[in-house]
Amino acid sequence: MENPKTNYQVGANNPVLQSYDLLALKPSDEKSFAACCSQYECDIICFDLSQRLPFYIKRPPVGQALERGIYFEITYSSALRDVSSRRYLISNTLALLRMTGGKNVILASAARDAMDLRGPYDVINLGSLFGLNPAQSRAAICENARSVAIHGETRSTFKAVAEVASISSLGSSEQWKVPQTSSSSMTPPAAAAATPMEL
C-alpha cells in the first residue's frame, strides 16, 4: 500500500476482495497506514518489523484499527537469521505493543522453510521478550487467530440487526415463538408475596 488516493479499490464493494477469506494489508508510509486503520476493509495489518519502519506508529490510527476489529501481525522468523533484523524486530514490536496494549496482535512465523518454525511454548516465551504477558502471548497464537477468521467471515457478509418487540405486538402467525407456560407459574411475584404467612 503506497498511496491512499490510488487504492480506492480496497473497499467493501469490490467483488474480488470479497472472494478472499482473509485480507492482509502492508502499508509502506504513514498515510497508507492511517488509511488501512480507518478506511480500508481488511482483517490484518502487517509490517516488515525486521527493518527500520519509514514512519512512526501513532496511537490514534492504532486505536481506530482496534475499534474496527483489525489485527496486527508480528512475524518472528526474521529475528532468527541475523542480529540487525533481531534488533529492529524487538524495537519495532515494542513500539507497536505500546500502542495496542497487547490487544489484537497475532504472532506468526512467516517461515521460509521448516527450520524457521518454532513450537507454541517457544513463541509464548518470545512474546514475553516483546513485553506480552503469558496470557497475551497465548492469545496471540490461539484465540486471536480464531477471531481474525471470524472477522474475515463477517467482513464478507451483511451485518446482523436485532429488533426487540413486546409479546402483545406479535401477530397470530408469530405466537409460536413465545414459550407456553402453565397458569400456576403465571402468578405475579408481588401477589405471591402478599399472602400472609403463619408462624
Side-chain angles (χ1 to χ4, degrees):
M1 306 298 300
E2 293 180 359
N3 188 355
K5 293 180 180 178
T6 60
N7 293 322
Y8 57 88
Q9 306 95 338
V10 188
N13 298 326
N14 190 334
V16 176
L17 298 181
Q18 293 291 337
S19 64
Y20 290 97
D21 293 331
L22 291 176
L23 184 61
L25 300 180
K26 187 175 183 180
S28 60
D29 59 5
E30 190 170 357
K31 287 184 180 179
S32 61
F33 173 64
C36 289
C37 293
S38 61
Q39 299 172 5
Y40 297 151
E41 290 292 326
C42 66
D43 306 305
I44 301 170
I45 296 176
C46 52
F47 308 100
D48 186 5
L49 296 174
S50 63
Q51 298 178 0
R52 182 186 172 100
L53 290 178
F55 59 93
Y56 291 108
I57 300 173
K58 296 182 180 176
R59 193 174 299 275
V62 171
Q64 289 177 328
L66 295 178
E67 287 176 7
R68 295 179 63 213
I70 298 173
Y71 285 75
F72 295 93
E73 182 183 44
I74 299 170
T75 56
Y76 61 82
S77 64
S78 58
L80 306 175
R81 296 189 191 106
D82 62 77
V83 177
S84 64
S85 296
R86 188 176 308 131
R87 184 174 65 243
Y88 278 123
L89 177 68
I90 293 172
S91 64
N92 289 332
T93 302
L94 288 172
L96 176 63
L97 292 178
R98 268 196 303 272
M99 298 299 121
T100 63
K103 300 174 185 175
N104 290 29
V105 173
I106 301 171
L107 290 175
S109 66
R112 295 178 183 172
D113 54 30
M115 296 300 292
D116 290 339
L117 293 173
R118 293 295 180 268
Y121 291 107
D122 293 336
V123 179
I124 289 173
N125 289 334
L126 187 63
S128 66
L129 177 67
F130 294 148
L132 296 171
N133 62 42
Q136 290 173 328
S137 296
R138 185 177 176 83
I141 63 173
C142 296
E143 289 90 0
N144 292 356
R146 190 177 306 115
S147 299
V148 167
I150 293 171
H151 185 269
E153 186 177 343
T154 57
R155 179 179 48 82
S156 59
T157 58
F158 291 104
K159 305 294 182 193
V161 176
E163 179 184 0
V164 178
S166 63
I167 295 175
S168 60
S169 68
L170 293 176
S172 60
S173 62
E174 296 179 337
Q175 289 293 330
W176 63 272
K177 298 176 183 176
V178 180
Q180 300 297 322
T181 57
S182 63
S183 60
S184 62
S185 65
M186 295 296 288
T187 306
T195 57
M197 294 180 61
E198 293 184 12
L199 297 175

